[in-house]
Amino acid sequence: MDSNKAATQLLTESQITALENAFKAGDVEDRGVVDAGQVQFIVQQVLGDVLTVSEVRTLVQKGEAVGAATGVINLQEFKDLLIDLLHTTTTRWGALQTSLDGYVGFDTVLEQQRKKFLKKGFEFNLMVVGESGLGKSTLVNTLFKSKVSRTSCTNEPPQKIPKTVEINTVTHVIEEKNVRLRLSITDTPGFGDQVNNENCWLPIYDQINKQFDKYLTEERSVVRRKQIPDSRIHCCLYFIAPTGHGLKALDISCMKKLHDVVNIIPVIAKADTMTIEERDAFKDRIREDIAEAEIKVYPSSLLPEDEDVLQANAPIRKHLPLAVVGSDRALTINNKSILGRQTKWGFVEVENPNHCEFSFLRDMLLRTHMQDLKDTTHEEHYENYRRQKLSEEGNP
Amino acid sequence: MDSNKAATQLLTESQITALENAFKAGDVEDRGVVDAGQVQFIVQQVLGDVLTVSEVRTLVQKGEAVGAATGVINLQEFKDLLIDLLHTTTTRWGALQTSLDGYVGFDTVLEQQRKKFLKKGFEFNLMVVGESGLGKSTLVNTLFKSKVSRTSCTNEPPQKIPKTVEINTVTHVIEEKNVRLRLSITDTPGFGDQVNNENCWLPIYDQINKQFDKYLTEERSVVRRKQIPDSRIHCCLYFIAPTGHGLKALDISCMKKLHDVVNIIPVIAKADTMTIEERDAFKDRIREDIAEAEIKVYPSSLLPEDEDVLQANAPIRKHLPLAVVGSDRALTINNKSILGRQTKWGFVEVENPNHCEFSFLRDMLLRTHMQDLKDTTHEEHYENYRRQKLSEEGNP
């Protein structure tokens, strides 16, 4: 007996009924067949219009293949098409869903995952890139409300600007409401500070790819760890000088080198040097420069997005690049401690959205898109690296 | 410039201080060195006694390697050891943790994950194995409070017992509190029902491995999907007949063939045929048989367990094999609908823990261990399969 042949995938009675009803509704002239081109619409009716673009494409291609000779598809062929679709793609089954008679309790899987996650903790690797003097360290400290940047937490002597681009990483474990984060901050002193900055993107590019390679090596090894340690850079904050004059050639060339390997979020540093009007004009210019140079910034508009993701990303796209001010000094006003920069002529509140866009950046980076930055790194940038590497090795 | 060489991993000032203090506390005679064997205890003091067994082993080995010539380790060597440990293993950093000055908000990553999970849904693949007539279908329907078993949801004619073991899978999408579960139930009609049952484990074994192979093929392909469809069997409910006479030879040989490829939960079917005393005596006998035959049942006691996992698993281990009664008929008592079996001499309530252990099984399978069954399948059974397959192919 061929034991493999005995394995059968069955449709349930209610699934079959739902499919037959949809097929009959599509077969208006009662011919017993539907046009191959119609299949997609019938399926979308059954599943409730939730197919992704690639699922629809697959379906259309298969439908055309099945109906190639005749241009039409009968009920059995339609069912076979559906079985294929249902068993590879989706938990969104619309009318094919099975109903329950009472509470079963598998929704607790979320709680089970939460418990496991709290035990494991998670990793986030942030990189900051930009010329010296743009307040990169201060901004990172402000984001994480602690001395996490290299310059403020190591006892190295105050440095001269290095003669080449260096890559330094400092790792922290921080904890909030029992969620443990292993945060690593990578900075790149010397970037943009040389006489000739032609290749200063290269050490950064190498460092990012080296982390991909580490991950890939572990993923492919025969004996591997349960959890592959993730040192891949999940986000690169790119600091733009508040010049008022648009992007520098260095900014453009560097972002173009990096945008395929890392999620870039461009920020305008030290935004308190500009009035709100200057800032908005500057942002417009930079947006034009980014569009013209075809620089991909995070969140990428090239990836397929659901309606709700699109809605969440729209305001971010409108605001990028974010004009930020960092400060690790607090002033006490009305018994509240407020982070900001005190000058003779005023007090810039870092977290006040009327003063600068710091809170916008923080919300995005930490409170709404942190997981997505990790997922995009894994699903896009790492996959690109892996695909290229495996292809180069001659894999099919 | 070698760009890779420029990448540096730094310890923060507060991390260094914590390490130095621990080292000095260990160096009681102020020799400037500690014994190699002592390193483990110093590290555990710093990190708060949270190292896993394998981390401790690695540490001891490395410590011995470093101190090989002298038997002692100095502060710099100690720091180097720690950097290694910290950057490969753990988010549990004890005294090395960095403190925050206020609320940052990265704990929302849980909520971000929840949102993504609700969108994606999840997969759970259950297999039921056992002779015909043990109420496998009814029990599965009772577990999921719906007609999910093959025999109750397909319009196949009521079957004769097949002449060979068949493998049938039926897939459902069910939903609870917005959590969508793609549930597949695989049954194996014909198992144990032949004259010669010698090889009836084989089609089951093949089916399980075929799913591993599918997953592995997708995982290794150059272009792969964002989410690998998971058809691997996460749990096998093995039905034991309520004979009162311990395990049959078939049960023993089959479970021993399968226990390395799938999580087996043994259940005593139709437990209402036994009195509570008979049941408990029968369970004792089966536990002895399982122990004697060295059958690994889920949750495996061979995997390392935290204190709290151990505590959660202890009552399960005490109760296995669970004696269950299934029923998809409900009786209305005091306006409450109660699942059970009505006979002339009484009413067995399925979900009443005094009547049978169904609720115990349901809680374990769905409400406490569902995610762990999936994780164990991925981290143990699938990894075993992958390791073996890659080794056979001659990978290092």
Side-chain angles (χ1 to χ4, degrees):
Chain A
M1 186 198 73
D2 176 359
S3 61
N4 286 339
K5 230 183 162 178
T8 320
Q9 176 67 54
L10 302 156
L11 284 178
T12 70
E13 208 168 336
S14 71
Q15 288 165 5
I16 291 172
T17 311
L19 290 183
E20 286 175 351
N21 288 343
F23 185 86
K24 278 176 199 151
D27 178 18
V28 278
E29 295 162 41
D30 204 15
R31 299 178 295 164
V33 292
V34 298
D35 294 335
Q38 225 181 320
V39 169
Q40 172 196 344
F41 302 105
I42 302 179
V43 172
Q44 286 189 332
Q45 240 159 5
V46 182
L47 299 185
D49 207 7
V50 285
L51 293 179
T52 65
V53 177
S54 76
E55 283 164 2
V56 167
R57 195 166 41 218
T58 311
L59 195 62
V60 169
Q61 284 168 352
K62 282 191 184 164
E64 283 168 359
V66 172
T70 55
V72 293
I73 282 172
N74 66 29
L75 181 58
Q76 188 54 48
E77 290 165 342
F78 175 72
K79 281 185 196 166
D80 291 343
L81 273 180
L82 253 288
I83 287 183
D84 255 29
L85 178 71
L86 291 173
H87 293 101
T88 53
T89 48
T90 174
T91 56
R92 300 150 303 162
W93 273 21
L96 304 186
Q97 194 162 309
T98 305
S99 58
L100 307 177
D101 288 338
Y103 178 63
V104 174
F106 60 81
D107 59 308
T108 57
V109 75
L110 274 165
E111 180 55 26
Q112 297 172 36
Q113 290 175 342
R114 202 180 71 89
K115 265 192 195 160
K116 289 203 166 210
F117 182 81
L118 286 181
K119 204 175 275 180
K120 278 192 316 216
F122 75 112
E123 292 144 328
F124 191 75
N125 305 316
L126 182 67
M127 178 181 254
V128 290
V129 174
E131 295 164 39
S132 62
L134 291 180
K136 298 187 292 296
S137 295
T138 307
L139 190 78
V140 168
N141 288 347
T142 316
L143 277 169
F144 290 97
K145 291 199 175 135
S146 50
K147 301 220 174 307
V148 288
S149 73
R150 175 184 53 91
T151 45
S152 58
C153 68
T154 58
N155 57 3
E156 294 186 337
Q159 288 178 300
K160 282 187 194 165
I161 291 170
K163 293 231 165 53
T164 56
V165 178
E166 288 178 5
I167 309 282
N168 290 318
T169 301
V170 56
T171 306
H172 300 265
V173 170
I174 53 182
E175 185 171 338
E176 235 173 9
K177 297 188 183 166
N178 295 322
V179 176
R180 266 174 313 204
L181 164 58
R182 179 193 172 81
L183 171 72
S184 90
I185 311 276
T186 300
D187 71 354
T188 58
F191 175 86
D193 297 329
Q194 314 300 323
V195 176
N196 179 348
N197 287 307
E198 216 170 315
N199 286 323
C200 73
W201 58 276
L202 189 60
I204 299 172
Y205 184 84
D206 284 347
Q207 170 72 3
I208 292 171
N209 280 307
K210 217 176 94 186
Q211 308 316 311
F212 286 147
D213 196 57
K214 254 191 186 167
Y215 196 93
L216 181 59
T217 303
E218 178 81 21
E219 190 194 288
R220 296 173 78 187
S221 61
V222 176
V223 180
R224 54 187 184 179
R225 276 179 268 202
K226 269 185 199 168
Q227 195 86 32
I228 303 180
D230 190 1
S231 59
R232 299 170 298 185
I233 306 292
H234 299 122
C235 178
C236 168
L237 288 182
Y238 191 93
F239 285 70
I240 298 164
T243 60
H245 295 297
L247 287 179
K248 298 182 187 178
L250 172 65
D251 297 331
I252 292 176
S253 71
C254 181
M255 282 199 265
K256 280 196 76 107
K257 295 291 185 187
L258 298 182
H259 67 181
D260 281 328
V261 293
V262 70
N263 298 315
I264 297 179
I265 300 179
V267 295
I268 299 170
K270 297 195 166 172
D272 52 342
T273 57
M274 298 186 284
T275 66
I276 301 292
E277 294 74 29
E278 285 167 354
R279 177 186 94 181
D280 290 344
F282 187 45
K283 284 176 65 163
D284 282 341
R285 290 198 57 169
I286 292 176
R287 266 195 295 271
E288 282 168 28
D289 290 348
I290 285 177
E292 195 182 322
E294 296 183 327
I295 293 167
K296 289 172 247 165
V297 297
Y298 178 87
S300 166
S301 52
L302 300 175
L303 302 175
E305 281 173 329
D306 292 355
E307 192 51 46
D308 55 334
V309 175
L310 199 67
Q311 265 179 29
N313 286 344
I316 293 175
R317 296 205 172 101
K318 213 179 103 203
H319 280 91
L320 283 181
L322 299 170
V324 296
V325 177
S327 169
D328 33 26
R329 303 255 167 88
L331 200 75
T332 305
I333 298 174
N334 295 335
N335 280 324
K336 270 183 71 180
S337 171
I338 293 176
L339 285 175
R341 291 175 56 78
Q342 177 74 63
T343 62
K344 295 275 187 206
W345 51 92
F347 182 69
V348 191
E349 296 172 26
V350 162
E351 297 182 286
N352 183 340
N354 292 322
H355 290 196
C356 78
E357 296 173 317
F358 170 83
S359 61
F360 207 100
L361 173 66
R362 178 204 56 205
D363 286 356
M364 172 187 179
L365 193 66
L366 301 171
R367 303 185 187 177
T368 61
H369 284 66
M370 194 171 220
Q371 186 60 42
D372 192 64
L373 283 160
K374 292 185 55 147
D375 291 346
T376 308
T377 302
H378 184 66
E379 294 168 2
E380 299 297 326
H381 300 303
Y382 171 65
E383 280 300 307
N384 284 343
Y385 176 85
R386 180 179 172 279
R387 202 155 46 232
Q388 207 173 322
K389 174 110 183 194
L390 265 59
S391 301
E392 281 167 13
E393 290 175 4
N395 288 289
Chain B
M1 185 197 70
D2 176 358
S3 60
N4 286 340
K5 234 185 160 177
T8 319
Q9 176 68 53
L10 301 158
L11 284 178
T12 69
E13 209 167 335
S14 71
Q15 288 164 4
I16 291 172
T17 309
L19 289 182
E20 286 176 349
N21 288 342
F23 185 86
K24 277 175 201 151
D27 178 19
V28 276
E29 295 162 41
D30 205 15
R31 299 179 294 163
V33 291
V34 298
D35 294 334
Q38 223 182 322
V39 169
Q40 174 196 344
F41 303 104
I42 302 179
V43 172
Q44 287 189 331
Q45 241 161 2
V46 182
L47 299 185
D49 208 8
V50 286
L51 293 178
T52 65
V53 178
S54 76
E55 283 164 3
V56 168
R57 197 168 38 221
T58 311
L59 195 61
V60 169
Q61 285 168 352
K62 281 192 184 162
E64 283 168 356
V66 171
T70 54
V72 293
I73 282 172
N74 66 28
L75 182 59
Q76 188 54 49
E77 290 164 342
F78 176 73
K79 282 185 195 167
D80 292 343
L81 273 180
L82 253 288
I83 289 184
D84 253 29
L85 178 72
L86 292 172
H87 293 102
T88 52
T89 48
T90 175
T91 56
R92 300 151 303 164
W93 273 20
L96 304 186
Q97 195 162 309
T98 305
S99 58
L100 306 176
D101 288 338
Y103 178 64
V104 173
F106 59 81
D107 59 307
T108 57
V109 75
L110 274 166
E111 179 54 27
Q112 298 171 36
Q113 289 175 342
R114 202 180 72 90
K115 267 194 193 158
K116 289 204 165 206
F117 182 82
L118 287 180
K119 203 175 275 180
K120 277 193 316 218
F122 75 112
E123 292 144 329
F124 190 75
N125 305 316
L126 182 67
M127 177 181 257
V128 290
V129 174
E131 295 165 37
S132 62
L134 290 180
K136 299 186 291 295
S137 294
T138 307
L139 189 79
V140 168
N141 288 347
T142 316
L143 277 170
F144 291 98
K145 293 205 174 130
S146 49
K147 300 215 176 309
V148 288
S149 74
R150 175 184 53 90
T151 47
S152 58
C153 69
T154 59
N155 57 0
E156 293 185 337
Q159 288 180 302
K160 283 187 195 160
I161 290 169
K163 292 228 169 53
T164 56
V165 178
E166 289 177 4
I167 309 281
N168 290 318
T169 301
V170 54
T171 306
H172 300 264
V173 170
I174 53 183
E175 186 172 334
E176 237 174 5
K177 298 191 182 161
N178 295 321
V179 176
R180 267 175 314 207
L181 165 58
R182 177 194 175 81
L183 171 71
S184 91
I185 312 277
T186 300
D187 71 355
T188 59
F191 175 87
D193 296 331
Q194 315 298 322
V195 177
N196 179 348
N197 287 307
E198 217 170 312
N199 287 322
C200 73
W201 58 274
L202 190 60
I204 299 173
Y205 184 84
D206 284 348
Q207 171 73 2
I208 292 171
N209 280 307
K210 217 176 96 185
Q211 308 316 312
F212 286 148
D213 196 58
K214 252 189 186 170
Y215 196 93
L216 182 59
T217 304
E218 179 82 21
E219 191 195 288
R220 294 172 78 185
S221 61
V222 176
V223 180
R224 54 186 184 180
R225 277 179 264 201
K226 267 185 202 171
Q227 195 86 32
I228 304 180
D230 190 1
S231 58
R232 299 169 298 185
I233 306 292
H234 300 121
C235 179
C236 169
L237 289 181
Y238 190 93
F239 285 70
I240 298 164
T243 60
H245 295 296
L247 286 179
K248 298 182 187 179
L250 172 65
D251 296 332
I252 292 175
S253 70
C254 181
M255 282 199 264
K256 278 195 76 106
K257 295 290 184 189
L258 299 181
H259 67 182
D260 281 329
V261 294
V262 70
N263 297 315
I264 297 180
I265 300 180
V267 295
I268 299 170
K270 295 193 168 173
D272 52 342
T273 58
M274 297 186 284
T275 67
I276 300 293
E277 293 74 29
E278 286 168 353
R279 178 187 93 182
D280 290 343
F282 188 45
K283 285 178 62 165
D284 282 341
R285 291 199 56 167
I286 292 177
R287 265 195 294 269
E288 281 166 28
D289 290 349
I290 285 177
E292 195 181 321
E294 295 184 328
I295 294 167
K296 288 171 247 164
V297 298
Y298 178 86
S300 167
S301 52
L302 299 175
L303 302 175
E305 283 174 327
D306 292 355
E307 192 51 45
D308 56 332
V309 175
L310 199 68
Q311 265 179 31
N313 287 344
I316 294 175
R317 296 204 173 103
K318 212 179 103 206
H319 280 90
L320 283 182
L322 300 170
V324 297
V325 177
S327 170
D328 33 27
R329 302 255 167 88
L331 199 75
T332 305
I333 298 174
N334 295 335
N335 280 324
K336 269 185 72 179
S337 170
I338 293 177
L339 284 176
R341 292 173 57 77
Q342 177 74 64
T343 62
K344 295 275 186 208
W345 51 90
F347 181 69
V348 191
E349 295 172 25
V350 163
E351 297 181 287
N352 182 338
N354 291 322
H355 290 196
C356 79
E357 298 174 318
F358 170 83
S359 62
F360 207 100
L361 174 65
R362 180 205 55 206
D363 286 357
M364 173 187 176
L365 193 66
L366 301 170
R367 302 185 187 176
T368 60
H369 283 66
M370 194 171 220
Q371 186 60 42
D372 192 65
L373 283 160
K374 294 186 54 148
D375 291 346
T376 308
T377 302
H378 185 66
E379 294 168 3
E380 298 297 325
H381 301 305
Y382 172 66
E383 280 300 306
N384 285 341
Y385 176 85
R386 179 179 174 278
R387 203 156 43 232
Q388 206 174 322
K389 174 110 182 195
L390 265 57
S391 300
E392 280 167 15
E393 289 175 3
N395 288 290

